[in-house]
Amino acid sequence: AQSVSQHNHHVILSEAASLELGCNYSYGGTVNLFWYVQYPGQHLQLLLKYFSGDPLVKGIKGFEAEFIKSKFSFNLRKPSVQWSDTAEYFCAVMRNAGNNRKLIWGLGTSLAVNP
Amino acid sequence: DAGVIQSPRHEVTEMGQEVTLRCKPISGHDYLFWYRQTMMRGLELLIYFNNNVPIDDSGMPEDRFSAKMPNASFSTLKIQPSEPRDSAVYFCASSLWTANTGELFFGEGSRLTVL
């Protein structure tokens, strides 16, 4: 069965520290990849996505992610985090096949940024 | 745009009672998804619709769960009878699928507590 693994469940950083959240998936075919964020008390919203083209994608609020096909990875990065980045981060993968629209989600990484 | 609207935001009920959760997707979106979120299992896709037609309901836990989408602007998720293990946050999301995007727009969620 397809799965998405987020390696870090809880991350605590100080402001200005660099961030990298790991995401690996188990499907061998063509995929669409997503990172969503859930700020405290808010709904999930899209940070960035990869469908095709440049494997380094940039999203909102200074986030970026790199798709490395050989490693089945889509790690999220930010060079300098802010207190407002405190949130839950979810990686999700969609098998790019026909009319499939089903996302497989990681369990999420809780990020706390200390001011 | 009002976004995806869910109701109720919070529901507390007793075991055995019927629960109905409601969702109004973003106008013009052709996909609607129902998710359940718990600490233990993360985000689970329950069912999704395309143009009001159920496409994949393999995530619906059991016969106690049912979902309908009578028209493009309304969907319900019903649990009858409810059980304590159904306690979770239920999210509705909608999207407009194109070749280059499949962003999900989530509602605020309905937090269900079954006593």
Side-chain angles (χ1 to χ4, degrees):
Chain A
Q2 301 158 57
S3 65
V4 176
S5 176
Q6 292 185 238
H7 315 299
N8 318 96
H9 296 291
H10 300 281
V11 174
I12 302 174
L13 295 173
S14 298
E15 275 193 318
S18 64
L19 170 72
E20 179 158 3
L21 302 181
C23 174
N24 285 88
Y25 61 95
S26 64
Y27 179 66
T30 304
V31 293
N32 299 324
L33 301 158
F34 305 81
W35 275 97
Y36 280 81
V37 61
Q38 188 174 24
Y39 296 104
Q42 296 188 26
H43 58 278
L44 283 141
Q45 55 188 285
L46 182 70
L47 258 185
L48 47 78
K49 63 181 185 288
Y50 172 81
F51 270 47
S52 63
D54 189 343
L56 183 62
V57 294
K58 295 190 183 300
I60 60 172
K61 303 186 181 185
F63 286 90
E64 65 179 31
E66 185 175 13
F67 170 46
I68 303 179
K69 189 175 182 179
S70 61
K71 295 185 178 180
F72 300 92
S73 70
F74 190 54
N75 292 353
L76 181 71
R77 299 194 293 252
K78 185 171 184 177
S80 176
V81 296
Q82 301 172 310
W83 176 78
S84 58
D85 294 324
T86 295
E88 190 94 15
Y89 293 81
F90 295 89
C91 180
V93 176
M94 180 185 296
R95 185 168 51 93
N96 189 347
N99 293 323
N100 175 58
R101 301 291 178 260
K102 186 173 182 176
L103 278 171
I104 308 299
W105 296 80
L107 288 178
T109 296
S110 175
L111 171 66
V113 179
N114 295 323
Chain B
D1 196 330
V4 176
I5 299 172
Q6 291 187 245
S7 65
R9 292 292 308 279
H10 302 274
E11 174 98 6
V12 180
T13 191
E14 292 189 344
M15 183 173 62
Q17 297 298 305
E18 178 180 293
V19 173
T20 299
L21 307 178
R22 298 172 177 81
C23 176
K24 177 178 168 55
I26 293 174
S27 176
H29 281 190
D30 55 354
Y31 281 87
L32 183 139
F33 303 80
W34 280 102
Y35 282 92
R36 178 172 67 178
Q37 185 181 39
T38 61
M39 288 290 291
M40 291 299 295
R41 301 165 73 111
L43 270 164
E44 300 174 278
L45 177 65
L46 300 177
I47 185 172
Y48 74 92
F49 297 82
N50 176 218
N51 292 324
N52 314 338
V53 176
I55 302 300
D56 185 339
D57 65 354
S58 59
M60 296 287 262
E62 46 199 273
D63 291 346
R64 297 185 298 106
F65 285 69
S66 62
K68 294 181 180 179
M69 192 166 185
N71 57 62
S73 59
F74 184 66
S75 178
T76 59
L77 178 68
K78 187 174 291 187
I79 308 172
Q80 167 63 18
S82 58
E83 296 182 3
R85 59 189 167 125
D86 302 330
S87 297
V89 181
Y90 291 82
F91 287 101
C92 176
S94 70
S95 72
L96 176 63
W97 185 267
T98 68
N100 296 310
T101 183
E103 178 179 357
L104 296 185
F105 292 82
F106 283 82
E108 301 281 349
S110 295
R111 182 176 295 275
L112 173 64
T113 303
V114 183
L115 303 175

